[in-house]
Coordinates of all heavy atoms in Angstrom, one line a residue:
Y1 N 44.3 -14.7 -18.8 CA 45.4 -15.1 -17.9 C 45.0 -14.8 -16.5 O 44.3 -13.7 -16.3 CB 46.7 -14.5 -18.3 CG 47.2 -14.9 -19.6 CD1 46.9 -14.2 -20.7 CD2 48.0 -16.0 -19.7 CE1 47.4 -14.6 -22.0 CE2 48.5 -16.4 -21.0 CZ 48.2 -15.8 -22.1 OH 48.6 -16.2 -23.3
R2 N 45.4 -15.6 -15.6 CA 45.2 -15.3 -14.1 C 46.5 -15.7 -13.4 O 47.3 -16.4 -13.9 CB 44.0 -16.2 -13.6 CG 44.3 -17.7 -13.6 CD 43.2 -18.4 -12.8 NE 43.4 -19.8 -12.9 CZ 44.2 -20.5 -12.2 NH1 45.0 -19.9 -11.3 NH2 44.3 -21.8 -12.3
P3 N 46.7 -15.0 -12.2 CA 48.0 -15.4 -11.5 C 47.9 -16.7 -10.9 O 46.8 -17.2 -10.4 CB 48.0 -14.3 -10.4 CG 46.6 -13.8 -10.3 CD 45.9 -14.0 -11.6
G4 N 49.0 -17.4 -10.9 CA 49.2 -18.7 -10.3 C 50.2 -18.7 -9.2 O 50.9 -17.6 -9.0
R5 N 50.5 -19.8 -8.6 CA 51.5 -19.8 -7.5 C 52.9 -19.5 -8.1 O 53.7 -18.9 -7.4 CB 51.6 -21.1 -6.8 CG 50.3 -21.4 -6.0 CD 50.5 -22.7 -5.3 NE 51.1 -22.4 -4.0 CZ 51.3 -23.3 -3.0 NH1 51.0 -24.5 -3.3 NH2 51.8 -23.0 -1.9
S6 N 53.2 -19.9 -9.3 CA 54.6 -19.7 -9.8 C 54.6 -19.0 -11.2 O 55.6 -19.1 -11.9 CB 55.3 -21.0 -9.9 OG 54.7 -21.9 -10.7
G7 N 53.5 -18.4 -11.5 CA 53.5 -17.7 -12.8 C 52.1 -17.5 -13.3 O 51.1 -17.7 -12.5
L8 N 51.9 -17.1 -14.5 CA 50.6 -16.8 -15.1 C 50.0 -18.2 -15.6 O 50.7 -19.0 -16.2 CB 50.7 -15.9 -16.3 CG 51.1 -14.4 -15.9 CD1 51.2 -13.6 -17.1 CD2 50.0 -13.8 -15.0
V9 N 48.7 -18.3 -15.5 CA 48.0 -19.5 -15.9 C 47.0 -19.1 -17.0 O 46.1 -18.2 -16.8 CB 47.2 -20.2 -14.8 CG1 46.4 -21.3 -15.3 CG2 48.1 -20.5 -13.7
P10 N 47.2 -19.6 -18.2 CA 46.2 -19.3 -19.3 C 44.9 -20.1 -19.2 O 44.9 -21.2 -18.7 CB 47.0 -19.7 -20.6 CG 47.9 -20.8 -20.1 CD 48.3 -20.4 -18.7
Y11 N 43.8 -19.5 -19.5 CA 42.5 -20.1 -19.4 C 41.6 -19.6 -20.5 O 41.8 -18.5 -21.0 CB 41.9 -20.1 -18.0 CG 41.4 -18.7 -17.7 CD1 40.1 -18.4 -17.9 CD2 42.2 -17.7 -17.1 CE1 39.6 -17.1 -17.5 CE2 41.8 -16.5 -16.8 CZ 40.4 -16.2 -17.0 OH 40.0 -14.9 -16.6
H12 N 40.5 -20.4 -20.8 CA 39.5 -19.9 -21.7 C 38.2 -19.9 -20.9 O 37.8 -20.8 -20.2 CB 39.3 -20.9 -22.9 CG 40.4 -20.9 -23.8 ND1 40.6 -19.9 -24.8 CD2 41.5 -21.7 -23.9 CE1 41.7 -20.1 -25.5 NE2 42.3 -21.2 -25.0
S13 N 37.4 -18.8 -21.0 CA 36.2 -18.6 -20.3 C 35.1 -19.0 -21.3 O 35.0 -18.5 -22.4 CB 36.1 -17.2 -19.8 OG 34.9 -17.0 -19.1
M14 N 34.1 -19.8 -20.8 CA 33.0 -20.1 -21.6 C 31.7 -20.4 -20.7 O 31.9 -20.8 -19.6 CB 33.3 -21.3 -22.5 CG 33.6 -22.6 -21.8 SD 34.3 -23.9 -22.8 CE 32.9 -24.2 -23.9
S15 N 30.6 -20.2 -21.3 CA 29.3 -20.6 -20.6 C 29.0 -22.0 -20.8 O 28.6 -22.4 -21.9 CB 28.2 -19.6 -21.1 OG 27.0 -20.0 -20.5
L16 N 29.1 -22.8 -19.8 CA 28.8 -24.3 -19.9 C 27.3 -24.6 -20.1 O 27.0 -25.5 -20.7 CB 29.4 -25.0 -18.7 CG 30.9 -25.1 -18.6 CD1 31.3 -25.8 -17.3 CD2 31.5 -25.7 -19.8
G17 N 26.5 -23.7 -19.6 CA 25.0 -23.9 -19.7 C 24.5 -24.0 -21.1 O 23.5 -24.5 -21.3
Q18 N 25.2 -23.3 -22.0 CA 24.7 -23.2 -23.4 C 25.6 -24.0 -24.3 O 25.6 -23.9 -25.5 CB 24.8 -21.7 -23.8 CG 24.0 -20.8 -22.9 CD 22.5 -21.1 -22.9 OE1 22.0 -21.4 -23.9 NE2 22.0 -21.1 -21.7
T19 N 26.5 -24.9 -23.8 CA 27.4 -25.7 -24.6 C 26.9 -27.1 -24.9 O 26.5 -27.8 -24.0 CB 28.8 -25.8 -23.8 OG1 29.2 -24.5 -23.5 CG2 29.8 -26.5 -24.7
P20 N 26.7 -27.4 -26.2 CA 26.3 -28.8 -26.6 C 27.4 -29.8 -26.2 O 28.6 -29.4 -26.2 CB 26.1 -28.7 -28.1 CG 26.9 -27.5 -28.5 CD 27.0 -26.6 -27.4
D21 N 27.0 -31.0 -26.0 CA 27.9 -32.1 -25.7 C 29.1 -32.2 -26.7 O 30.2 -32.4 -26.3 CB 27.2 -33.5 -25.7 CG 26.5 -33.9 -24.4 OD1 26.8 -33.1 -23.4 OD2 25.8 -34.8 -24.4
S22 N 28.8 -32.0 -28.0 CA 29.9 -32.1 -29.0 C 30.9 -31.0 -29.0 O 31.9 -31.1 -29.6 CB 29.2 -32.1 -30.4 OG 28.5 -30.9 -30.6
A23 N 30.7 -29.9 -28.2 CA 31.6 -28.7 -28.2 C 32.8 -29.0 -27.4 O 33.9 -28.4 -27.6 CB 30.9 -27.5 -27.7
I24 N 32.7 -29.9 -26.4 CA 33.9 -30.2 -25.6 C 34.2 -31.7 -25.7 O 33.4 -32.5 -25.3 CB 33.6 -29.9 -24.1 CG1 33.3 -28.4 -23.9 CG2 34.8 -30.3 -23.2 CD1 32.8 -28.0 -22.5
S25 N 35.3 -32.0 -26.3 CA 35.6 -33.4 -26.6 C 36.3 -34.1 -25.4 O 36.3 -35.3 -25.2 CB 36.6 -33.5 -27.8 OG 37.8 -32.8 -27.6
G26 N 36.9 -33.3 -24.5 CA 37.6 -33.8 -23.4 C 38.1 -32.7 -22.5 O 38.3 -31.6 -22.9
V27 N 38.4 -33.1 -21.2 CA 39.0 -32.2 -20.2 C 40.1 -32.9 -19.6 O 40.0 -34.1 -19.1 CB 37.9 -31.8 -19.1 CG1 38.6 -30.9 -18.1 CG2 36.8 -31.1 -19.8
V28 N 41.3 -32.2 -19.5 CA 42.4 -32.8 -18.8 C 42.6 -31.9 -17.5 O 42.8 -30.7 -17.6 CB 43.7 -32.7 -19.7 CG1 44.9 -33.2 -18.9 CG2 43.6 -33.5 -21.0
V29 N 42.5 -32.6 -16.4 CA 42.7 -31.9 -15.1 C 44.2 -31.8 -14.8 O 44.9 -32.8 -14.8 CB 42.0 -32.7 -14.0 CG1 42.2 -32.1 -12.7 CG2 40.5 -32.8 -14.3
G30 N 44.7 -30.6 -14.6 CA 46.1 -30.3 -14.4 C 46.6 -30.9 -13.1 O 45.8 -31.4 -12.3
P31 N 47.9 -31.0 -13.0 CA 48.5 -31.5 -11.8 C 48.1 -30.7 -10.6 O 48.1 -29.5 -10.6 CB 50.0 -31.4 -12.0 CG 50.2 -30.6 -13.3 CD 48.9 -30.5 -13.9
N32 N 47.7 -31.4 -9.5 CA 47.4 -30.8 -8.3 C 47.5 -31.8 -7.2 O 47.6 -33.0 -7.5 CB 46.0 -30.1 -8.3 CG 44.9 -31.1 -8.4 OD1 44.6 -31.7 -7.4 ND2 44.3 -31.2 -9.6
P33 N 47.5 -31.4 -5.9 CA 47.7 -32.4 -4.8 C 46.5 -33.4 -4.6 O 46.6 -34.4 -3.9 CB 47.9 -31.6 -3.6 CG 47.2 -30.3 -3.9 CD 47.4 -30.1 -5.4
H34 N 45.3 -33.1 -5.2 CA 44.1 -34.0 -5.0 C 43.5 -34.3 -6.4 O 42.4 -33.9 -6.6 CB 43.1 -33.3 -4.0 CG 43.7 -32.8 -2.8 ND1 44.1 -33.7 -1.8 CD2 44.1 -31.6 -2.3 CE1 44.7 -33.1 -0.8 NE2 44.7 -31.8 -1.1
T35 N 44.2 -34.9 -7.2 CA 43.8 -35.2 -8.6 C 42.5 -35.9 -8.7 O 41.6 -35.6 -9.5 CB 44.9 -35.9 -9.4 OG1 46.1 -35.1 -9.3 CG2 44.5 -36.0 -10.9
D36 N 42.3 -37.0 -7.9 CA 41.1 -37.7 -7.9 C 39.8 -36.9 -7.6 O 38.8 -37.0 -8.2 CB 41.1 -38.9 -7.0 CG 42.1 -40.0 -7.5 OD1 42.4 -40.0 -8.7 OD2 42.6 -40.8 -6.7

């Protein structure tokens, strides 16, 4: 967990450099003012 503007934000830490393509099926970018 890390502090956010209005509460705690849960997250998972991982080393991307050692991650095979099949390990991450998708990423959803959370709401923010500059989504694109």
Side-chain angles (χ1 to χ4, degrees):
Y1 295 89
R2 65 173 176 79
R5 289 182 95 177
S6 60
L8 294 175
V9 177
Y11 71 94
H12 290 279
S13 181
M14 60 189 299
S15 174
L16 292 177
Q18 304 298 318
T19 305
D21 274 348
S22 62
I24 301 175
S25 61
V27 176
V28 178
V29 175
N32 69 72
H34 307 289
T35 306
D36 291 336

